[in-house]
Amino acid sequence: MKLYRIIVAGLISCLITTSIIAKLKVVSSTSDLAAIAREIGVDLVEVDYICPPEGNPHFVEAVPTQMIAVSRADIYLKIGMELDQWADNIIDGSRNRHLKIVDCSQGIDRLEVPTTKVNASLGDIHAQGNPHYWLNPANGIIIARDIADAFSQADAQNYNYYQENLNNFEEKLRSKIEEWKIEAASLKGIKIVTYHNSWPYFASAFSLDVVGFIEPFPGIEPTPSHIANLIEMIKEMDVRIIGKEPYFEGRTPRLIASATKAAVIDLPPSVGGAKGIETYFDLFDFLISKLNNNLKASEL
């Protein structure tokens, strides 16, 4: 009888330990979705991402290690809107028939949806609209709800846990959005040029005016004539800031800056894209602070 009790106790202990350490395995296309997933899942999820935060999310080469990671995952989080089409090759290569795929763009109010036929002459135009929607923090709430729903379906016994974390995230994010709007008040209406068209959602959220791009069309390298025209426009409109995503070359922006009064600043569009940006909240703290600091410097 004593031996029986020891065996039963051991089995119960093993089951309890297994239930404690069993976590949802989540892979996302980008570090931004991963950051929000961690806010919702906290200690009940293991989260990884494919595109490095300093990398260009439009172009990722599928490799076997990524497929292996996804083969072990329960959930895959996609940006959608044709940004991470490369993820389809990784998902297919994983041969994970039980994988739940979540397109986090489904509830987004999409900007810049083309109203005419899209063709290659227009560059990398997305037929479903501009896909950089996570850069409006209000969309972070929509993303978080999609993720919480996916976690709750995959792990129903912890539904209340995920919903509580979602509520906490929403409450904190709404509060931070009010803070960011106050901090970004000085940025209202400022004219900036960016390398790529990554910022319409951010500009809409904080009332910036993006007046031009170093790329003549998305994904198309600038020509000498385009650069010359851009320099003239920057002078005429007194543009003071040229924003560059970290994964683009810096020679052309510096050339333009040297011919104008504008300053080139790195604007990382993703969590982990610069030192100190470890969470979704950190991303907007960093971007608003950097823009404010450079705007003040340009006025000296």
Side-chain angles (χ1 to χ4, degrees), residues 94-122:
S94 75
R95 299 183 181 180
N96 185 345
R97 293 180 296 171
H98 305 290
L99 183 70
K100 179 177 178 58
I101 302 170
V102 181
D103 183 341
C104 294
S105 72
Q106 290 305 299
I108 299 299
D109 185 8
R110 302 178 178 193
L111 301 180
E112 301 180 352
V113 179
T115 56
T116 58
K117 187 175 180 180
V118 174
N119 58 61
S121 68
L122 300 175

Side-chain angles (χ1 to χ4, degrees), residues 70-82:
V70 175
S71 73
R72 298 167 179 165
D74 301 297
I75 295 171
Y76 191 95
L77 304 175
K78 288 190 69 176
I79 291 290
M81 295 175 68
E82 302 178 340

Side-chain angles (χ1 to χ4, degrees), residues 33 36-37 40 77 102 104 142-152:
L33 298 184
I36 296 175
I40 305 305
L77 304 175
V102 181
C104 294
I142 298 171
I143 297 168
R145 289 175 179 173
D146 287 342
I147 292 173
D149 286 346
F151 288 2
S152 297

Side-chain angles (χ1 to χ4, degrees), residues 33-141:
L33 298 184
I36 296 175
R38 292 190 186 101
E39 297 280 350
I40 305 305
V42 192
D43 54 358
L44 293 187
V45 297
E46 293 178 0
V47 184
D48 198 1
Y49 53 85
I50 301 296
C51 181
E54 69 280 3
N56 188 338
H58 295 83
F59 307 105
V60 173
E61 183 179 358
V63 297
T65 53
Q66 298 163 348
M67 297 175 188
I68 292 171
V70 175
S71 73
R72 298 167 179 165
D74 301 297
I75 295 171
Y76 191 95
L77 304 175
K78 288 190 69 176
I79 291 290
M81 295 175 68
E82 302 178 340
L83 179 69
D84 52 352
Q85 289 179 307
W86 44 263
D88 296 335
N89 291 331
I90 296 172
I91 292 168
D92 291 344
S94 75
R95 299 183 181 180
N96 185 345
R97 293 180 296 171
H98 305 290
L99 183 70
K100 179 177 178 58
I101 302 170
V102 181
D103 183 341
C104 294
S105 72
Q106 290 305 299
I108 299 299
D109 185 8
R110 302 178 178 193
L111 301 180
E112 301 180 352
V113 179
T115 56
T116 58
K117 187 175 180 180
V118 174
N119 58 61
S121 68
L122 300 175
D124 188 21
I125 297 292
H126 299 274
Q128 298 177 28
N130 190 295
H132 299 270
Y133 57 85
W134 69 89
L135 286 166
N136 182 337
N139 287 337
I141 294 173

Side-chain angles (χ1 to χ4, degrees), residues 179-194:
E179 290 180 23
W180 290 326
K181 285 183 177 179
I182 293 171
E183 292 171 5
S186 59
L187 301 175
K188 186 175 182 179
I190 69 162
K191 294 177 172 57
I192 70 170
V193 165
T194 63

